[in-house]
Amino acid sequence: MFTSYYVSRCHQPPHSGSSASGSIKPCQNLYPNSRRTNMERKSEDNKNRKPKEDEAEHEHELPLMSLNHVSRLCTSVKDSVEFYTKALGFALIERPQAFDFDGAWLFNYGIGIHLVQANDEDKLPNNHELDPMDNHISFQCEDMGAMEQKLKDLGIKYMKRTVGGEEDGVIDQLFFNDPDGFMIEICNCENVKLKPVGSFNRIKLPFDRHNPPVELDANAAKAS
């Protein structure tokens, strides 16, 4: 249902009844030759670049790869796990055993959601009104109608709107809150082309190595 277009297309979340070990399917690299193509293009660009431009480019380079996870405080880890697995298709992941506080790790679509039991509820949102201009995280979606029906089936209150136009592209959006009032957006933002302001070479597209290693047992590996 969701697609991380900037990285790869992941297999759909398993149907209910699937074993926990098979909840995560390895992502398929949609661009097997993209790294080689990028390197060739960058080499060509370097031939035409002036020394000062090289120095400025190198100065801004950082060894970052991709978004790893988003952390969320919650009043009930159990309720939040149920929400993110049922409404958004995330899979429950084992946490490091050294952690001595209550929480949960979830993963899918190449990113993680880390839930932490709140000791101070004053740190949680106190306004559960849906405002697209407020803080939120957004998920790319390839079937907005199916996602809207999912929210209806789960009885989740949501806001629906369309922004943009023919010149820049039209984006459909769904906004709703998790159990603690953190806002989530579902969109088809691939309809709008990204236009870098400045050097394109500063943008790194994580075509590979973007996913943490996923350990599957023998049965899950065969199913994948």
Side-chain angles (χ1 to χ4, degrees):
M1 183 175 298
F2 300 100
T3 309
S4 28
Y5 279 96
Y6 65 94
V7 177
S8 65
R9 182 181 298 276
C10 297
H11 289 284
Q12 301 296 330
H15 297 292
S16 59
S18 299
S19 63
S21 60
S23 296
I24 305 174
K25 305 296 183 183
C27 289
Q28 175 185 2
N29 190 345
L30 297 182
Y31 309 98
N33 298 320
S34 295
R35 172 164 287 278
R36 180 181 60 82
T37 302
N38 279 350
M39 291 176 65
E40 290 176 348
R41 186 186 67 245
K42 190 168 184 178
S43 177
E44 184 67 25
D45 291 343
N46 288 339
K47 294 179 182 179
N48 302 321
R49 187 182 298 167
K50 298 177 181 179
K52 290 185 178 181
E53 292 176 335
D54 283 340
E55 294 177 5
E57 188 69 31
H58 180 74
E59 183 180 351
H60 289 85
E61 287 184 357
L62 292 173
L64 302 181
M65 295 163 57
S66 66
L67 177 66
N68 179 268
H69 70 273
V70 175
S71 183
R72 285 284 181 252
L73 291 174
C74 55
T75 54
S76 169
V77 173
K78 179 181 177 180
D79 290 346
S80 293
V81 167
E82 182 178 11
F83 171 84
Y84 282 100
T85 54
K86 289 185 177 180
L88 293 173
F90 276 81
L92 188 62
I93 302 298
E94 292 183 1
R95 292 199 310 160
Q97 297 181 5
F99 285 0
D100 60 356
F101 55 92
D102 193 14
W105 278 17
L106 302 159
F107 182 84
N108 211 346
Y109 322 115
I111 59 172
I113 301 289
H114 291 185
L115 302 173
V116 178
Q117 178 67 48
N119 295 322
D120 183 0
E121 294 190 8
D122 289 338
K123 294 182 179 180
L124 299 170
N126 54 19
N127 181 9
H128 288 209
E129 293 298 321
L130 294 172
D131 179 3
M133 302 300 292
D134 206 343
N135 294 325
H136 62 275
I137 59 174
S138 180
F139 292 92
Q140 178 74 24
C141 180
E142 61 184 356
D143 189 338
M144 295 295 291
M147 191 63 223
E148 183 176 5
Q149 186 60 51
K150 181 70 171 180
L151 296 178
K152 290 180 179 179
D153 294 344
L154 294 174
I156 296 175
K157 176 185 175 182
Y158 65 90
M159 173 189 293
K160 179 180 180 179
R161 74 172 191 169
T162 299
V163 296
E166 294 183 0
E167 183 176 350
D168 295 322
V170 176
I171 300 176
D172 299 311
Q173 300 172 304
L174 296 169
F175 294 91
F176 53 98
N177 289 330
D178 79 354
D180 294 291
F182 291 107
M183 189 163 56
I184 298 165
E185 175 190 2
I186 307 295
C187 71
N188 53 4
C189 292
E190 85 280 5
N191 292 343
V192 174
K193 182 182 295 185
L194 299 181
K195 302 176 181 178
V197 179
S199 175
F200 177 77
N201 290 325
R202 294 181 183 176
I203 294 181
K204 302 169 79 172
L205 300 178
F207 290 115
D208 60 5
R209 297 194 305 164
H210 63 284
N211 283 319
V214 179
E215 181 177 329
L216 301 175
D217 63 20
N219 293 330
K222 291 179 180 179
S224 63

